[in-house]
Amino acid sequence: METRRNFLKLAAMLSGAAGVSELIPDSIQRAYAIEPEPGSSYLDAKHIVILMQENRSFDHALGTLQGVRGFNDPRAIRLNNGNSVFVQTDAAGNSYAPWRLDIQDTRITWMGSLPHSRQSQVDAWNGGRHDGWLDAKRSHEAEYAGIPTTMGYYTREDLPFYYSLADAFTVCDQHYCSVMSSTTPNRSYFWTGTIRDEQNANAKVYMRNEEIECGGMTWKTYPERLQKAGIRWKSYQNELTHSSGLGEEEYAWLGNFGDNPLEFFATYNVQAYPGSIAYNRERLASLEQYLKKLKHTLTTERHPDATAHLHAQIGINRSQIDRLKMVLADSGEGRYRKLSPQERALHDSALTTNADDPDYRTTKQLRFQNGGKEQRMIVPEGDVLHQFRKDVNEGKLPTVSWLIASERFSDHPSSAWYGAWYVSEVMDILTKNPEVWKKTIFILTYDENDGYFDHAPSFVAADPKRPETGRSSDGVSTALDYTYIEDELRQGASKEEARGGPIGMAFRVPMIIASPWSRGGWVNSQLFDHTSTLMFLEQFFQSKHGETVREENISDWRRTVSGDLTSVFRGYDAQEAGLDYLDRDKFVIGIRRARDKEIPSNYRKLNSEQIQDVNHNTMHSEFTPHQEKGIRPSCALPYELYADGNLNADRSKFVLRMTAGDTVHGKRASGVPFNVYLRNTKDKQMRVATYTVKAGDCLKEEFPLALFLEEQYSIDVHSPNGFYRSFAGGAQLSSLQVQTAYERRGASLTGNIQVNLLNTSERPALISVEDNSYHTGTVTKKLAGGEKASVILDLQHSHCWYDFTVKCQHTRATARFAGHVETGRSSYSDPLMGGVISV
C-alpha cells in the first residue's frame, strides 16, 4: 500500500488537482505487487518484447495527454501564412483546427483509412512548411471527402487503456516514423535499418509497400545478426501473409496483415512454409490477369508519359511473374527439407505461427444487441497469442520477441481500435508471472501516421545536392537518407505519384515503453525514430554481454540525430503502476456498436476572427483542443543545445550558430537537428532547412539580408523538446550580440541559464531581458559601447524551463530564447504547457 500512496501523492503534486485519486484507475494494482530486485537496472532484463502497431499519429492518439508535447505546445511552429500550425488551410481557403473524434457516439472509427502513400506524406510536409494536410490527406471515400478527418483526435475517454498505459509507464513524445511513406518501408527500417538494397546513394530505394512486398529482398536484417551472435529471438503471429484458404474477413482477424517484413526477405525462405504454394498460385494468377490489363491499356494509350509508365509497369510485372514461377517450382515441404540447419533456424524463428492451436484458422460468431436489434460479428475461435503465451508460461520466451497482430487487432484505421485488447492481453501474459515481468521490457509503437495530422515539425535529411535545404557536420552524410524522382520512376512509380525528397524522418507516432525501470507516468523527449529500437538492442547486448550486434544498415545521419532509447530507463525506485485488462468479446462489441452511428460533424470551419484567436491565444482558445492539466516527471536527456546569431561586420548577413555541446554529458552527448525557418522573404515563401550537428560540433550559416523584404530578417529555429530561438531585426538596427550559456557550479549545471550581452556599437544601449512565460521578471542593463554584461535567470521554480526575449531600446531588433536546461538529472515537463503556470 505504501507504493500506491506514494504514487497518488506524486500525481496530486504534479496535477495540482483536488481529489486526484479518483482520476487514477482502480486497476493500477498488479504491477504494484511486482517489484524488480532492488538496485537492478534495465540491463538486468532477460526479455525484450516489441510490438509495432499500425497508422496513428501522436497528436491523433495522445495529443491531449497530460505533460507531453501535444495540443498545448506553447511554441509550436508558425506556418507560411503566419498562422499557428494548429490552423490548417486547404487550397479553397477553408481552415480547420484539430477536432474531437468520439469513438462511441459516431462512426468515426469505421470510416476507414486516409491517404498515407509516399506522395501524400511528402505533400503534407510540403518542403517543411507542414501546411499541406487538408488537401493531401482528404479521404478517398466520396461520402467523407468533405470532412477534415486528418485533423481528428481522440481523448482519454475514447482510448482509456492507452492513456492508462502512458500514465503507468513512459511515453516518448519525440518519436518519429522513419520514412515519409507507408507501412512496409517503415517496418523495413524497424527490422533492418534501411530501405536500400545496398548502402550507397545509387542503390535502389524501396519507398512503397508493393516494392518490398513483391518479395526476394536481399539486404541484411537485424534478426540475422542476432542469429549469428547466438541470441535467441522470434517473431510471433497467428498466421502468415503467405497463406491461403481464408476469406477476406477471416484473414483480417487471423492473418498478420503483411506486417512481418521478414516474409519478404529471401533469407527467410517463406516459400518453404506449407501454405505458401496455394498463396503463390493465387498471386501468380492475379499478376497474369493484371499483365493482360496493362497490355490492353497500352494498346489504347497515346500519351508518351503514360505509355512509358505502362512499359515500366509491364516490365516489373513480368519480372514478378517469372520470379513466382521459379518460386513455385521449389516450394513447400520439399524446399523446407533442403534448408540447412541455419536456414531452418531463421525460417522457424521468423515465421512462428499458432499452428499448434487447432482453432488458429477458425472464427466464431458473437451475437449482441444494438439499438434493440440482434447483430452478429465474427471473432477468432482460437488464441491469437497462443504460441507467445505458451512460451512465456513454459519459460521459453526468447531474448528478443517481435509480435505481429492481425489487421483487426493492429489499430489500423480500417479496423477500428480493437488493438487495445491485443496490447492489454500481451501485458496480461507478461505480468501473470511476476518473475517474468521483473525481467522484461515491452516496447509499443506504431509504424506510421496514416493520414492523421501531427503538429510537431519533421526533422529531415537535407538534400546533399541543394545547400538551401540544410547540411550536416563534416562526416555526417545525408545521401543515404534522401531520394529523387528518378529513383521513384525507376521503381515503377508514375510521374504523377513520384516524389523526390527526404526519406525521413516523417511524422510523430506513439511510443510507450513499459518495464520495471520505466514506470511511474514519465515522459521522454529525446528524438527517436524506428532505428532507435535497433540501436537500443545494440547497446543492450554490448553493455550486458560485451556482444557487438551492430546494424550496419543504419546511416550515420540517423545515428547522429536519433537516440538509442537508453534515456528512457531509470533505476528501480519502488514506484510502479498497473493496468486494467480488457475482456476481448465485451471490448470489441463495444466498439462494433458504433459502426451504425452518425457520421461525425462536430468540426468547425474557422473564420478570420477565430483564426486570430487561435494564433494569439492557442493554449486557451475555445477553437483548439487542450491537454489534461498538470506536468509529469521527465527523463534526463543528453542534450546541450545552443543557437545564437548576430549580424556580420558589414551588416550584410545574419550569422546563425548552431551547437550541440558535449561538455555537460560527455560521451553520452547527442547530436541534434535544427530546423531553420526564414520568414519575411522577398518571394513571400517561408524557406525551411534542417541542419544536423553532431555532438561537440558547431555549424555556422550565413543568411544575406538581401533575402528579406526591406532587409528585415525574421528567423525561427526549432529543435527537439521545445527548443526555440527567434531572431528579428535589420541592418540599420543596433548590433547587440546575445549568447546563452548554462550556469555551472563546479562541474555540474545549476539548471539556471546565463545570458551574455555585448554592445558592439560605439553608442550606449539600454538592454532588457524580459520573461515571456515563467515569471522570472525583467532585467535591464545599460551598456556602454563595447561593454559586456551577464544576466542569470533563476529557473528553479519552472523546473529549468525558460522563455525570454532580449530587446535593445529604440530599435526593433529582438532575440527570443526558449527551451529546457538539461542538467543530467531528471526533471518535469513544461509547466506552462501543463497549465500550472499562467502567462
Side-chain angles (χ1 to χ4, degrees):
M1 287 298 295
E2 186 59 33
T3 54
R4 175 176 168 79
R5 280 194 291 270
N6 289 343
F7 182 83
L8 295 178
K9 278 201 283 187
L10 175 64
M13 179 190 76
L14 298 183
S15 69
V20 72
S21 62
E22 297 176 6
L23 304 177
I24 306 294
D26 291 338
S27 60
I28 299 183
Q29 297 173 12
R30 178 180 289 178
Y32 283 138
I34 304 175
E35 297 185 355
E37 296 299 322
S40 65
S41 76
Y42 75 95
L43 292 175
D44 292 295
K46 292 184 177 179
H47 310 291
I48 301 168
V49 179
I50 304 166
L51 172 60
M52 174 177 271
Q53 294 286 74
E54 281 266 6
N55 292 41
R56 303 288 179 173
S57 81
F58 188 90
D59 276 347
H60 166 76
L62 297 173
T64 62
L65 180 68
Q66 175 203 71
V68 300
R69 195 152 297 278
F71 292 126
N72 283 7
D73 190 343
R75 290 171 288 274
I77 64 171
R78 291 182 296 133
L79 303 180
N80 184 57
N81 60 12
N83 289 340
S84 164
V85 67
F86 291 116
V87 177
Q88 292 286 318
T89 304
D90 65 19
N94 302 306
S95 298
Y96 299 93
W99 56 287
R100 161 83 186 284
L101 304 177
D102 192 316
I103 201 171
Q104 299 294 336
D105 290 335
T106 73
R107 74 169 74 163
I108 184 60
T109 198
W110 294 100
M111 289 167 55
S113 187
L114 297 174
H116 50 281
S117 61
R118 168 65 171 173
Q119 60 267 27
S120 77
Q121 301 284 46
V122 172
D123 292 350
W125 173 71
N126 193 21
R129 296 181 185 88
H130 213 74
D131 59 4
W133 290 88
L134 291 173
D135 291 310
K137 302 297 187 178
R138 199 176 302 279
S139 175
H140 294 306
E141 300 287 336
E143 185 179 9
Y144 308 138
I147 301 174
T149 311
T150 181
M151 304 301 292
Y153 69 91
Y154 293 99
T155 68
R156 182 183 295 271
E157 186 178 350
D158 305 297
L159 308 175
F161 180 82
Y162 290 122
Y163 274 66
S164 292
L165 191 69
D167 287 344
F169 297 103
T170 298
V171 59
C172 300
D173 69 353
Q174 297 280 265
H175 177 252
Y176 288 73
C177 53
S178 290
V179 188
M180 212 171 282
S181 186
S182 46
T183 285
T184 312
N186 275 290
R187 287 178 177 264
S188 178
Y189 259 95
F190 197 57
W191 266 267
T192 78
T194 189
I195 52 172
R196 290 185 180 272
D197 56 1
E198 295 179 3
Q199 293 311 293
N200 67 74
N202 298 316
K204 283 185 178 181
V205 181
Y206 292 79
M207 186 60 75
R208 288 170 161 77
N209 288 355
E210 60 272 17
E211 295 167 8
I212 297 173
E213 291 170 4
C214 68
M217 301 298 105
T218 57
W219 63 88
K220 189 79 78 175
T221 65
Y222 197 71
E224 290 174 78
R225 304 183 196 278
L226 293 177
Q227 190 91 356
K228 185 176 180 180
I231 296 169
R232 292 178 60 242
W233 66 276
K234 254 184 196 179
S235 291
Y236 294 90
Q237 55 253 297
N238 186 68
E239 178 60 294
L240 303 187
T241 299
H242 285 70
S243 60
S244 65
L246 295 173
E248 184 176 344
E249 183 65 10
E250 290 175 315
Y251 178 76
W253 287 102
L254 304 175
N256 70 0
F257 201 26
D259 279 352
N260 182 356
L262 303 184
E263 286 192 54
F264 312 128
F265 283 80
T267 192
Y268 294 98
N269 287 284
V270 70
Q271 293 79 18
Y273 185 69
S276 71
I277 297 176
Y279 170 82
N280 282 323
R281 283 176 180 161
E282 293 172 2
R283 199 161 154 241
L284 179 60
S286 176
L287 284 171
E288 289 175 335
Q289 187 64 33
Y290 183 52
L291 179 59
K292 289 180 181 179
K293 182 180 177 181
L294 289 173
K295 288 179 176 179
H296 176 73
T297 305
L298 186 61
T299 62
T300 59
E301 182 59 61
R302 296 292 179 265
H303 193 282
D305 288 345
T307 300
H309 177 62
L310 282 168
H311 279 297
Q313 287 292 315
I314 287 170
I316 292 169
N317 185 267
R318 280 175 170 159
S319 297
Q320 291 174 347
I321 288 172
D322 291 342
R323 181 180 170 277
L324 264 183
K325 287 179 177 178
M326 291 177 61
V327 163
L328 279 166
D330 184 21
S331 293
E333 183 64 28
R335 181 169 183 145
Y336 186 79
R337 287 196 299 267
K338 296 178 189 175
L339 300 182
S340 68
Q342 181 182 359
E343 290 171 330
R344 284 191 185 187
L346 283 169
H347 175 93
D348 293 344
S349 293
L351 309 178
T352 302
T353 69
N354 292 326
D356 285 349
D357 181 348
D359 295 318
Y360 87 110
R361 286 171 60 92
T362 306
T363 58
K364 66 179 182 181
Q365 285 197 345
L366 285 182
R367 298 182 181 185
F368 61 97
Q369 294 291 319
N370 191 16
K373 296 180 181 179
E374 182 176 277
Q375 294 188 343
R376 301 180 182 185
M377 65 182 295
I378 68 168
V379 293
E381 174 74 30
D383 178 7
V384 295
L385 286 159
H386 168 80
Q387 192 60 49
F388 177 70
R389 191 188 309 271
K390 186 172 183 287
D391 285 356
V392 172
N393 292 342
E394 295 178 358
K396 296 179 181 178
L397 187 66
T399 305
V400 182
S401 302
W402 283 274
L403 298 173
I404 299 98
S406 68
E407 178 182 358
R408 288 288 179 260
F409 290 125
S410 71
D411 278 341
H412 192 280
S414 65
S415 297
W417 278 96
Y418 291 144
W421 170 81
Y422 189 89
V423 179
S424 167
E425 195 69 6
V426 170
M427 289 295 297
D428 190 32
I429 292 167
L430 290 172
T431 57
K432 273 190 174 171
N433 182 343
E435 296 308 310
V436 172
W437 183 245
K438 287 180 182 179
K439 302 291 185 180
T440 298
I441 294 167
F442 175 47
I443 300 173
L444 169 67
T445 188
Y446 288 73
D447 51 24
E448 39 106 342
N449 63 294
D450 198 84
Y452 295 109
F453 168 81
D454 187 84
H455 84 276
S458 300
F459 297 105
V460 302
D463 183 350
K465 299 178 182 179
R466 293 189 299 143
E468 66 270 23
T469 66
R471 57 191 175 90
S472 300
S473 294
D474 289 345
V476 181
S477 172
T478 58
L480 290 176
D481 295 278
Y482 206 90
T483 185
Y484 301 93
I485 288 178
E486 293 74 20
D487 299 322
E488 295 259 274
L489 295 175
R490 280 194 294 269
Q491 289 286 63
S494 67
K495 279 195 172 182
E496 292 75 20
E497 294 181 346
R499 297 289 188 276
I503 291 175
M505 301 175 183
F507 308 112
R508 287 192 307 171
V509 291
M511 172 180 268
I512 299 173
I513 299 181
S515 77
W517 309 281
S518 58
R519 57 192 179 168
W522 288 58
V523 61
N524 184 290
S525 298
Q526 187 173 2
L527 185 62
F528 300 136
D529 83 318
H530 293 330
T531 64
S532 296
T533 299
L534 294 177
M535 288 189 274
F536 171 69
L537 293 174
E538 291 176 348
Q539 193 278 341
F540 180 83
F541 293 120
Q542 185 67 51
S543 299
K544 185 178 177 72
H545 301 298
E547 186 80 46
T548 300
V549 191
R550 182 179 171 86
E551 181 46 77
E552 300 295 341
N553 294 330
I554 300 175
S555 69
D556 289 341
W557 179 77
R558 301 265 175 181
R559 290 187 181 277
T560 299
V561 299
S562 294
D564 62 9
L565 303 186
T566 56
S567 62
V568 167
F569 299 98
R570 303 168 295 281
Y572 168 55
D573 63 1
Q575 213 177 93
E576 175 130 18
L579 294 164
D580 277 324
Y581 297 103
L582 305 176
D583 177 276
R584 187 196 69 180
D585 292 355
K586 182 180 178 182
F587 180 72
V588 299
I589 287 172
I591 291 178
R592 173 61 181 79
R593 284 195 175 104
R595 188 169 189 165
D596 301 321
K597 298 282 187 177
E598 295 295 318
I599 296 172
S601 59
N602 56 305
Y603 51 90
R604 179 179 355 203
K605 186 163 67 173
L606 302 179
N607 61 37
S608 58
E609 290 79 13
Q610 292 166 339
I611 291 171
Q612 289 309 310
D613 184 72
V614 174
N615 290 339
H616 300 296
N617 191 32
T618 303
M619 292 182 60
H620 303 287
S621 173
E622 65 177 290
F623 307 111
T624 53
H626 303 295
Q627 292 175 243
E628 301 165 335
K629 188 175 182 180
I631 58 177
R632 62 179 56 214
S634 62
C635 300
L637 307 181
Y639 287 144
E640 183 187 349
L641 309 185
Y642 308 91
D644 55 70
N646 56 272
L647 297 176
N648 65 349
D650 66 4
R651 299 190 179 188
S652 65
K653 298 175 182 178
F654 185 87
V655 182
L656 178 65
R657 294 176 294 275
M658 296 160 282
T659 303
D662 63 355
T663 59
V664 175
H665 306 293
K667 292 181 179 180
R668 293 182 59 252
S670 176
V672 72
F674 294 89
N675 275 1
V676 177
Y677 301 82
L678 305 184
R679 304 181 181 281
N680 195 44
T681 58
K682 286 184 176 178
D683 61 8
K684 299 183 180 179
Q685 289 296 313
M686 182 174 69
R687 301 188 182 188
V688 187
T690 300
Y691 296 87
T692 299
V693 185
K694 65 185 178 183
D697 197 15
C698 175
L699 283 185
K700 289 196 296 185
E701 189 65 277
E702 297 181 344
F703 300 106
L705 297 196
L707 284 172
F708 302 93
L709 282 171
E710 300 178 350
E711 297 194 340
Q712 300 296 301
Y713 63 85
S714 177
I715 301 171
D716 288 348
V717 182
H718 288 265
S719 204
N721 196 27
F723 181 93
Y724 174 63
R725 302 291 187 261
S726 182
F727 306 98
Q732 76 279 19
L733 303 177
S734 171
S735 294
L736 169 69
Q737 288 189 11
V738 185
Q739 289 184 314
T740 57
Y742 303 121
E743 185 189 42
R744 290 179 175 273
R745 184 175 294 129
S748 301
L749 299 188
T750 65
N752 298 329
I753 197 162
Q754 179 174 317
V755 188
N756 297 320
L757 308 170
L758 169 63
N759 180 10
T760 61
S761 71
E762 297 178 355
R763 300 177 180 178
L766 186 63
I767 311 300
S768 63
V769 180
E770 302 176 6
D771 174 80
N772 298 311
S773 304
Y774 301 104
H775 305 304
T776 57
T778 297
V779 178
T780 302
K781 294 279 186 179
K782 187 172 184 180
L783 302 183
E787 186 179 0
K788 297 179 180 179
S790 292
V791 174
I792 302 292
L793 299 183
D794 186 342
L795 308 180
Q796 303 312 301
H797 295 294
S798 62
H799 303 300
C800 304
W801 290 91
Y802 61 90
D803 180 0
F804 62 89
T805 298
V806 180
K807 298 178 180 178
C808 185
Q809 193 179 43
H810 307 307
T811 77
R812 290 179 291 157
T814 62
R816 184 177 176 183
F817 301 81
H820 186 254
V821 179
E822 294 298 337
T823 63
R825 302 178 294 275
S826 61
S827 183
Y828 293 96
S829 60
D830 189 342
L832 178 64
M833 191 166 63
V836 296
I837 287 182
S838 59
V839 179

